[in-house]
Amino acid sequence: MKELIVEATIQNVSKVMEFVDEQLEQLDCPMKTQMQIDVAIEELFSNIAYYAYSPRTGSAAVRVEAVKDPLAVVITFIDNGIQYDPLTREDPDITLSAEERGIGGLGIYMVKKTMDEVSYEYKDGQNILRIKKNIQSL
């Protein structure tokens, strides 16, 4: 397992993506899968940056772990910010136009649809959000 701890700011989204992408490259992760994971990272880390500590800032840990049978990557986001489970939010009605749909919720919906597993827990004062993505061999 590899871990990166950074200040939960929007400026650090690219640093988190680079860190995760380095681990994915070592696993020979297909580009399509890596792009899906990058979109999920951008959404999840941005949410932490914007909302977890608002109006102040705090740190966030990002852990990357490879698991086998089947080969997959598990990415865990941990922060000490305001308790919030994004998975409890109702999925947006994607049959409506953007104007008719309420603001928010589309990003976490995309994460839930593109990742193989998404889970959340609040433990010891920490938000812990995990995503798992299977890595298919080419």
Side-chain angles (χ1 to χ4, degrees), residues 27-93:
L27 298 171
D28 292 323
C29 180
M31 186 54 66
K32 178 182 176 185
T33 303
Q34 182 175 329
M35 288 172 49
Q36 290 174 326
I37 292 169
D38 284 348
V39 169
I41 291 167
E42 184 172 11
E43 174 61 26
L44 298 173
F45 195 81
S46 294
N47 282 348
I48 294 169
Y50 283 123
Y51 305 114
Y53 298 101
S54 185
R56 24 182 205 88
T57 62
S59 64
V62 180
R63 295 180 182 156
V64 180
E65 184 176 3
V67 294
K68 297 186 182 199
D69 297 323
L71 181 61
V73 65
V74 177
I75 303 166
T76 306
F77 299 85
I78 303 168
D79 69 75
N80 298 306
I82 299 163
Q83 181 179 353
Y84 177 65
D85 179 356
L87 305 181
T88 60
R89 185 180 181 126
E90 189 174 320
D91 288 342
D93 183 349

Side-chain angles (χ1 to χ4, degrees), residues 7-138:
E7 196 71 14
T9 63
I10 201 68
Q11 292 81 10
N12 281 331
V13 170
S14 60
K15 186 181 287 189
V16 171
M17 263 197 263
E18 288 171 19
F19 168 73
V20 174
D21 287 348
E22 285 174 14
Q23 313 315 310
L24 295 175
E25 287 169 18
Q26 292 177 14
L27 298 171
D28 292 323
C29 180
M31 186 54 66
K32 178 182 176 185
T33 303
Q34 182 175 329
M35 288 172 49
Q36 290 174 326
I37 292 169
D38 284 348
V39 169
I41 291 167
E42 184 172 11
E43 174 61 26
L44 298 173
F45 195 81
S46 294
N47 282 348
I48 294 169
Y50 283 123
Y51 305 114
Y53 298 101
S54 185
R56 24 182 205 88
T57 62
S59 64
V62 180
R63 295 180 182 156
V64 180
E65 184 176 3
V67 294
K68 297 186 182 199
D69 297 323
L71 181 61
V73 65
V74 177
I75 303 166
T76 306
F77 299 85
I78 303 168
D79 69 75
N80 298 306
I82 299 163
Q83 181 179 353
Y84 177 65
D85 179 356
L87 305 181
T88 60
R89 185 180 181 126
E90 189 174 320
D91 288 342
D93 183 349
I94 58 171
T95 63
L96 298 175
S97 69
E99 293 79 25
E100 295 173 305
R101 219 175 21 240
I103 293 174
L106 196 55
I108 194 69
Y109 174 78
M110 288 178 12
V111 170
K112 291 192 291 189
K113 291 296 179 192
T114 58
M115 297 297 108
D116 294 298
E117 292 178 28
V118 182
S119 64
Y120 170 87
E121 69 177 316
Y122 187 76
K123 185 176 179 184
D124 300 326
Q126 295 181 315
N127 292 293
I128 305 168
L129 183 70
R130 282 187 187 85
I131 58 174
K132 180 179 180 182
K133 182 69 176 171
N134 293 331
I135 300 174
Q136 285 77 28
S137 302
L138 294 177

